[in-house]
Amino acid sequence: MNFKQNQLENTLRNLGTNIKCIVLFGTNEGAIIDLQKKCTEAVCGSTQDAFNYVQLDMDNISKDGGEVYAEFHAQSLMGGRRAIVVKNADNNMTALLKSMLPETKSENVLILSSLSLNTRSPLITWSKDREDVIICGCYDDREEDLGMVAQSMLREKGLNIDVPTLQLLCSRLSPDRKLSQSEIDKLAVYMGNRQDITAQDVQAAVSDVAGANIEDLCYFVADGATRKACDMFARLLKEGQEPATLIRQIAYHYGKLLDCVAQTENGRTIDEAISSLRPPLMFYRKASFKRQLQIWNKERLLRIMKALYDAEKDCKSTGLPAEQCAAYFVLRLSDAANRLRQKN
């Protein structure tokens, strides 16, 4: 069964004995660690229970998986279900699961976590249609998820936050939940005995762990902040982003501008057009987005969209270095925006 993260968390409140295995995979290490802990607690109560909890690492498991088989079928000396966690699981677990799960009468639960598996991995494709296995992909928290995740973390620490301050906090958090948890832990220490978080608290205690933000790049380019756009582009390249991906994200941003312009031509106000965007804009982005709508009209946006398509194609197909092709285009586009803004 293929579950989303929130579906899995709801299921864990009453995990049936028909569930024999849970597979957590994806790129969001923090989310995987968080869910692994919640799965363990749902099965056996605590990771501190030596009788009912055991953790194995894939690197230390033999080819036939005998260690996993033995732990999965072992009974707790104190009674109850056991949780057997296998970290860094890979496709070598597939054969063992195929032979073990269909025949087992054990009520224990095998919890596999992996940053290397994906939706096309044999282990995942075999598991997704089984009623006794739950698979859950854990990827970077999207903007609409990040707020819920942050609120949940703050609630656990007894902290309160209003919506504008939460949006400010989310703008500084990372899509990787592990990094976000670290920043919220730091904020909790900074708060001391106070419970109501202010914007000043966030600015003082929370680092901008989002680091080089692709959204920032898009806004710098469309706003005409040439130096900031070029610096951000260089930082993103150092962090491993592909030039073609960055150009595609800029095109996505200009596509949102074009959508809003089209809506205003059909009689909607700028505010109504912006409110219709999904995911919605963060409050601190609205002023900049409105300013961009004033300098980028429909004809300009259509030309830019074609140029962005050509730039992405050049990054992928020409013999020129992709980094230089994309960097030159970022420079030209942000400089054009700067000149247009000065005219208005």
Side-chain angles (χ1 to χ4, degrees):
M1 296 182 287
N2 192 357
F3 281 17
K4 294 183 178 179
Q5 294 181 42
N6 60 339
Q7 291 176 308
L8 176 55
E9 292 190 26
N10 290 335
T11 300
L12 291 176
R13 296 170 186 167
N14 186 23
L15 189 65
T17 54
N18 62 306
I19 301 300
K20 307 298 182 185
C21 180
I22 301 173
V23 185
L24 309 173
F25 67 100
T27 57
N28 193 332
E29 183 181 7
I32 291 175
I33 292 172
D34 182 45
L35 280 175
Q36 178 184 296
K37 182 174 181 289
K38 290 177 179 178
C39 290
T40 300
E41 291 173 345
V43 174
C44 65
S46 172
T47 59
Q48 305 302 314
D49 187 342
F51 292 106
N52 287 351
Y53 169 78
V54 64
Q55 179 174 293
L56 305 172
D57 193 288
M58 195 69 201
D59 291 339
N60 300 322
I61 295 173
S62 58
K63 189 174 182 180
D64 64 1
E67 301 87 347
V68 179
Y69 186 94
E71 292 289 354
F72 184 74
H73 289 92
Q75 293 184 344
S76 170
L77 296 177
M78 305 301 292
R81 300 175 83 179
R82 302 182 73 235
I84 298 89
V85 172
V86 177
K87 297 187 68 176
N88 304 313
D90 58 32
N91 286 312
N92 291 324
M93 289 292 298
T94 309
L96 176 63
L97 295 186
K98 285 181 177 180
S99 64
M100 183 174 71
L101 293 189
E103 305 297 329
T104 187
K105 291 182 170 40
S106 173
E107 293 186 354
N108 296 333
V109 179
L110 187 61
I111 303 169
L112 310 181
S113 67
S114 174
L115 294 172
S116 62
L117 295 174
N118 57 55
T119 54
R120 296 182 180 180
S121 300
L123 176 58
I124 301 301
T125 55
W126 176 79
S127 301
K128 66 181 180 181
D129 295 323
R130 294 193 59 84
E131 294 296 320
D132 54 357
V133 181
I134 293 175
I135 62 173
C136 181
C138 303
Y139 299 100
D140 287 351
D141 292 322
R142 299 171 298 176
E143 284 184 3
E144 58 266 36
D145 297 330
L146 197 53
M148 293 187 293
V149 170
Q151 277 187 312
S152 176
M153 291 178 180
L154 293 171
R155 197 179 302 117
E156 290 178 359
K157 296 181 179 298
L159 297 173
N160 305 317
I161 191 168
D162 59 28
V163 173
T165 308
L166 176 63
Q167 290 180 320
L168 174 62
L169 173 63
C170 290
S171 73
R172 289 171 167 249
L173 295 179
S174 167
D176 188 322
R177 201 172 299 180
K178 185 178 181 181
L179 296 176
S180 295
Q181 181 69 67
S182 175
E183 289 302 313
I184 287 179
D185 288 344
K186 189 167 64 174
L187 175 61
V189 173
Y190 177 84
M191 291 296 295
N193 295 325
R194 292 184 295 119
Q195 293 182 318
D196 297 324
I197 302 171
T198 66
Q200 290 73 24
D201 295 326
V202 172
Q203 290 170 337
V206 180
S207 305
D208 187 1
V209 296
N213 190 300
I214 294 178
E215 187 177 62
D216 284 339
L217 171 65
C218 297
Y219 275 82
F220 290 152
V221 169
D223 247 348
T226 305
R227 179 178 292 277
K228 289 182 178 180
C230 293
D231 289 346
M232 183 61 73
F233 179 80
R235 288 176 59 190
L236 286 163
L237 288 182
K238 288 181 180 178
E239 291 191 358
Q241 294 289 343
E242 292 293 330
T245 300
L246 298 179
I247 295 297
R248 194 180 311 121
Q249 289 299 315
I250 294 172
Y252 173 69
H253 179 78
Y254 274 89
K256 289 194 293 185
L257 289 170
L258 183 59
D259 178 52
C260 286
V261 168
Q263 290 190 54
T264 58
E265 288 185 349
N266 290 328
R268 303 190 76 176
T269 66
I270 289 179
D271 287 332
E272 288 173 339
I274 291 175
S275 296
S276 72
L277 293 174
R278 293 294 178 273
L281 294 185
M282 289 288 192
F283 75 99
Y284 59 90
R285 296 292 192 191
K286 289 184 178 178
S288 177
F289 197 83
K290 283 184 178 180
R291 185 168 60 247
Q292 292 167 24
L293 287 172
Q294 293 173 352
I295 64 175
W296 293 106
N297 59 33
K298 182 178 179 180
E299 290 72 22
R300 289 168 180 162
L301 287 169
L302 289 172
R303 290 199 302 269
I304 291 301
M305 292 296 288
K306 182 182 183 306
L308 283 163
Y309 171 78
D310 291 339
E312 182 181 353
K313 186 171 65 174
D314 288 343
C315 287
K316 295 178 179 178
S317 58
T318 65
L320 296 174
E323 293 85 354
Q324 293 183 17
C325 288
Y328 178 63
F329 191 81
V330 167
L331 174 63
R332 285 179 54 205
L333 190 53
S334 58
D335 184 60
N338 182 44
R339 284 186 277 109
L340 287 171
R341 193 174 64 179
Q342 290 176 359
K343 287 181 181 180
N344 288 353

